[in-house]
Amino acid sequence: MTSFTEGSYPPAVKAELERQRLVQAVKDWSLAHGLVVRPPATVAPDDLDEILSMNAPVTLFPSPFPRRCFEEAKAVQTTYNELYARISQDDGFLGKIVQEVAGGDEFIAQLWDVHLRVKQEGYVQNLALGLFRSDYMVHQDGDDLQIKQVEFNTIASSFGGLSAQTSLLHKHLSQTSYPLLRDAGARAALDLPPNESTRGLAAGLKAAADAYGPSELGHRTCVVFLVQGGERNVFDQRHLEYELVRQTAGAVPVFRVPFAEILARTSIAAGSAKRQLLYHLPSGGDGDGDGDGEGLVFEAAVVYLRAGYGPSDYPDAAAWEARFQIERSAAIACPSVLTQLAGMKKVQQVLATPETSSSSSANNNSNTPPYSTALRRFIHDDASLAGLWRTFANIFPMDASTAAGREARRLATDATACQGYVLKPQREGGGNNTYRGAIPGYLATVPEEHWGSYILMELITPPPLSNTILRGGKLEQGGVICELGVYGTCLWDQSSMAGAILHSEESGYLLRTKGDQSEEGGVAAGFGCMDSCSLV
Ligand code: ADP
Ligand code: MG
């Protein structure tokens, strides 16, 4: 197979003047429409940080993406919503998995501890909200192209705000700049699917705020965004905030709270068994004009975490107390601790590792794939099982107690076999994985009794593609790898298994593209860039 794009698209745009004109169009549109990030400290000194933004790294052209794979990933999203809602409801299942990894993973152990503490006193909020993103790459197997899941994100799934803008940027360029380029490939008719990520994610937040209902304490309700200090990807989050304000006609204000300031800016309502979470607007004195010296107080209906997914947000015991305060409060957490834990890569592995033939003999008729026990526990109808199963790549446990785990240990420590794999710990946010030939050496530094807290995943090998990336004002042209993310929003009742889902939507997509020499693809981490799909 040569290339599924037939070679002429996207063009390299070699003529200097054409290239400059296109780059100018991208820069100006991006700045005018908030397709931007804060500049890194190396570009702008600290005191200018608050008044400067720069265009987010982006491809000059929407990358070709196989339509069938795109549609399959979108179609399976509400099934994924349901799957992860059910996993979150099952603390017995999650507890067992936590036990398997917690020995080698203090962070997971501490998260679980927050859940146990709240469980002991009793949860006061049964509703849970997920703003999910399921990430995929296209796997090329001969002439066959399959959509395969890289990971499922249950916390701080980012770029929904910027990705809708990226789709609009490429649409705009297709109506203005591309037709003026001399390269015939640039003038091809493009099929650019609409992208509702901003609207969809904000609608999820609104569904939760509506379900929370009015304050019984007589406050205005609000949504709190928990964010990291020094966040550069702030406009991505602002797009969601502005859209939520638009959808609620201003009835539900949004407040951004740095994770480190949770205990200073929020409190649990005194003397109320319902443990409402109050947000105290800093006013520098008498904020509400009634002369009592107190600032305005709001009741948080929803707490949306864009922080708290990794150990660096928990430098001390107070940070864990802060997370505990959110978890035990009446605010609908997005995500709750259980939902965050459902996103462990170990969960993905347990869902994807096939039933061994000996233990599945009861349902071993030749037409039924060897679905895992875990998948069968949560999903019961054949079409949903088959739809999810098709998207799973091969993933192995790394424990010594199962045949699959022993096979993985052999693969991971063999200098040749390891070339086809990536080793992952239970972490989010990029930069944590070990690839190919580096795996045996890395494992040699980890005590063997902790290997079980990792998973070993077969590398997905996408078809060759090229594109041009504009990053920090400079162009990089060459081979690229694309990763599709499909957003899902889901609001459910933790306490009842049947009919528990109040809202479930496939909520738009993200395409992230990286140079094919880079293993990691995070945009925020500086490796990847924003892109959109041109369906082929
Ligand atoms: P994180 O939680 O840090 O985002 P991921 O599982 O998404 O971890 O891995 C980070 C990046 O590594 C992905 O965006 C992708 O570019 C690459 N990657 C991860 N798993 C695979 C895989 N099985 N095949 C190819 N690339 C992968
Ligand atoms: Mg990822």
Side-chain angles (χ1 to χ4, degrees), residues 330-495:
I332 300 174
C334 177
S336 68
V337 167
L338 285 178
T339 304
Q340 178 173 351
L341 287 168
M344 282 186 293
K345 288 168 174 87
K346 184 71 188 171
V347 170
Q348 185 192 5
Q349 174 260 305
V350 167
L351 293 169
T353 301
E355 203 55 57
T356 53
S357 46
S358 59
S359 56
S360 67
S361 51
N363 45 47
N364 205 2
N365 91 50
S366 56
N367 294 325
T368 310
Y371 300 130
S372 59
T373 318
L375 191 60
R376 284 186 185 279
R377 180 183 179 107
F378 300 109
I379 300 293
H380 305 119
D381 75 285
D382 291 338
S384 298
L385 281 166
L388 293 168
W389 192 254
R390 267 199 304 276
T391 64
F392 292 168
N394 288 325
I395 314 179
F396 293 87
M398 283 290 290
D399 63 297
S401 63
T402 61
R406 287 189 293 273
E407 170 65 0
R409 286 173 171 227
R410 186 189 69 74
L411 294 167
T413 50
D414 181 279
T416 311
C418 71
Q419 296 296 334
Y421 292 89
V422 49
L423 183 77
K424 302 187 184 183
Q426 312 304 312
R427 281 293 168 282
E428 300 302 322
N432 304 300
N433 300 340
T434 306
Y435 297 85
R436 302 177 190 270
I439 298 174
Y442 175 78
L443 277 175
T445 69
V446 179
E448 213 171 307
E449 66 268 27
H450 292 165
W451 287 14
S453 61
Y454 293 80
I455 57 133
L456 188 72
M457 183 173 189
E458 210 166 85
L459 285 169
I460 304 165
T461 53
L465 270 183
S466 62
N467 205 334
T468 306
I469 294 171
L470 176 65
R471 183 198 315 279
K474 297 194 176 63
L475 292 176
E476 306 159 14
Q477 210 274 327
V480 295
I481 289 175
C482 298
E483 184 169 342
L484 177 73
V486 177
Y487 295 99
T489 52
C490 194
L491 177 70
W492 69 92
D493 186 332
Q494 277 287 101
S495 61

Side-chain angles (χ1 to χ4, degrees), residues 135 151 483 512:
D135 289 342
E151 66 156 342
E483 184 169 342
R512 266 181 312 177

